[in-house]
Amino acid sequence: MPSTSRAFRAPSLGLLAAEPLRALLDHVAARVAPRPSAIGDGHPVVVYPGLAGGPLATATLRQFLRHSGFQAHDWEGGVNTGPEGDFDAWLAPWAARVRALHEDTGRKVSLVGWSLGGIYAREIARREPRSVRQVITLACPFAAVVQGNHAGTVYRLLNRERARVPADMQARLRQPPPVPSSSIYSRSDGIVSWRACLEKATPASESIEVSASHLGMVSHPEVLRIVAERLAQPEGHWRPRAALQGLRPPS
């Protein structure tokens, strides 16, 4: 494993500066892309936005999933300004909502989290594995939440004294959740280190590379298709995408 300073270096300022334009192009491409196929089985999916994002930011993704045959839900937390106070206590109501959705529908719930929202999805799955079917994260730097990214400054401005993440929690966040998980990442991400988004290789976890901006992850046509394909796998029969397509895992 490379040293932290090398492995989790923040993206270049050039990539950072290009993020808004690339995200706009991804959004336009999603709007003109063909209507998705109805490949889903109707199970519920909760989508968690990234830092400073809200329902509008993930609207394209949720609409795509609905057209693909899933019950796509917003996280109903408004704009994501980060956890307040103790993280586990703050997360408890969101975990309870997933548990309630499972009980109400009789179907396990899949969780899709973008950037910081991916941390929420993974930790909710850790708390409620009996209610969660699978987790998909988009550009989520769970392996390095306090370094190697350009989002830290914004997070500190929004959270001030709440911006510290204890070392033991950092170690916990790096561990795969106890349900099938897919981490979708881009080497051209302008906000977070792509290496920090790489999942540990296990029989129930995978990392999938795409060519997308960080801000455009939730509207990039290729990302949308991959998310729908991953969610469409029969419950209890999850397999890594690389195994299904004969691809080599990332290195």
Side-chain angles (χ1 to χ4, degrees), residues 69-140:
F70 303 97
Q71 293 183 35
H73 301 265
D74 176 53
W75 78 311
E76 296 186 355
V79 175
N80 182 3
T81 59
E84 297 181 2
D86 178 77
F87 177 65
D88 288 321
W90 177 87
L91 194 68
W94 305 115
R97 179 177 180 245
V98 169
R99 185 171 62 250
L101 189 57
H102 175 211
E103 294 171 351
D104 291 344
T105 63
R107 308 287 300 276
K108 286 190 174 182
V109 184
S110 289
L111 310 179
V112 179
W114 172 34
S115 197
L116 179 60
I119 298 294
Y120 304 165
R122 289 166 65 90
E123 292 306 297
I124 289 171
R126 208 181 306 281
R127 293 179 65 126
E128 301 291 340
R130 294 183 180 180
S131 295
V132 177
R133 178 163 164 168
Q134 67 172 295
V135 171
I136 300 176
T137 59
L138 312 176
C140 175

Side-chain angles (χ1 to χ4, degrees), residues 25-245:
L25 294 175
D26 289 337
H27 179 72
V28 172
R31 294 294 296 270
V32 300
R35 187 183 178 93
S37 302
I39 59 176
D41 61 1
H43 80 273
V45 180
V46 179
V47 179
Y48 300 86
L51 180 65
L56 183 61
T58 62
T60 297
L61 172 57
R62 285 182 284 113
Q63 182 181 50
F64 187 93
L65 293 180
R66 291 191 188 105
H67 289 164
S68 297
F70 303 97
Q71 293 183 35
H73 301 265
D74 176 53
W75 78 311
E76 296 186 355
V79 175
N80 182 3
T81 59
E84 297 181 2
D86 178 77
F87 177 65
D88 288 321
W90 177 87
L91 194 68
W94 305 115
R97 179 177 180 245
V98 169
R99 185 171 62 250
L101 189 57
H102 175 211
E103 294 171 351
D104 291 344
T105 63
R107 308 287 300 276
K108 286 190 174 182
V109 184
S110 289
L111 310 179
V112 179
W114 172 34
S115 197
L116 179 60
I119 298 294
Y120 304 165
R122 289 166 65 90
E123 292 306 297
I124 289 171
R126 208 181 306 281
R127 293 179 65 126
E128 301 291 340
R130 294 183 180 180
S131 295
V132 177
R133 178 163 164 168
Q134 67 172 295
V135 171
I136 300 176
T137 59
L138 312 176
C140 175
F142 46 80
V145 295
V146 296
Q147 75 273 340
N149 65 76
H150 293 299
T153 300
V154 177
Y155 185 65
R156 284 189 291 273
L157 288 172
L158 291 172
N159 295 274
R160 300 185 184 279
E161 72 278 358
R162 294 186 275 116
R164 295 186 62 185
V165 181
D168 59 339
M169 180 170 290
Q170 293 181 49
R172 187 182 86 187
L173 297 179
R174 287 192 289 268
Q175 300 304 313
V179 299
S181 62
S182 304
S183 173
I184 300 177
Y185 71 97
S186 171
R187 292 178 189 247
S188 60
D189 192 310
I191 304 292
V192 304
S193 168
W194 64 269
R195 292 182 175 86
C197 304
L198 293 180
E199 183 65 280
K200 291 185 176 181
T202 75
S205 61
E206 65 180 346
S207 301
I208 302 172
E209 182 177 358
V210 297
S211 180
S213 64
H214 185 91
L215 298 177
M217 273 280 181
V218 285
S219 59
H220 191 285
E222 180 187 11
V223 175
L224 301 183
R225 288 193 298 270
I226 291 173
V227 171
E229 289 169 2
R230 297 282 79 206
L231 292 173
Q233 295 185 93
E235 184 174 346
H237 297 278
W238 187 95
R239 292 186 63 194
R241 188 167 184 259
L244 293 173
Q245 299 189 350

Side-chain angles (χ1 to χ4, degrees), residues 1-4 7-8 200:
M1 171 82 63
S3 67
T4 299
F8 303 130
K200 291 185 176 181

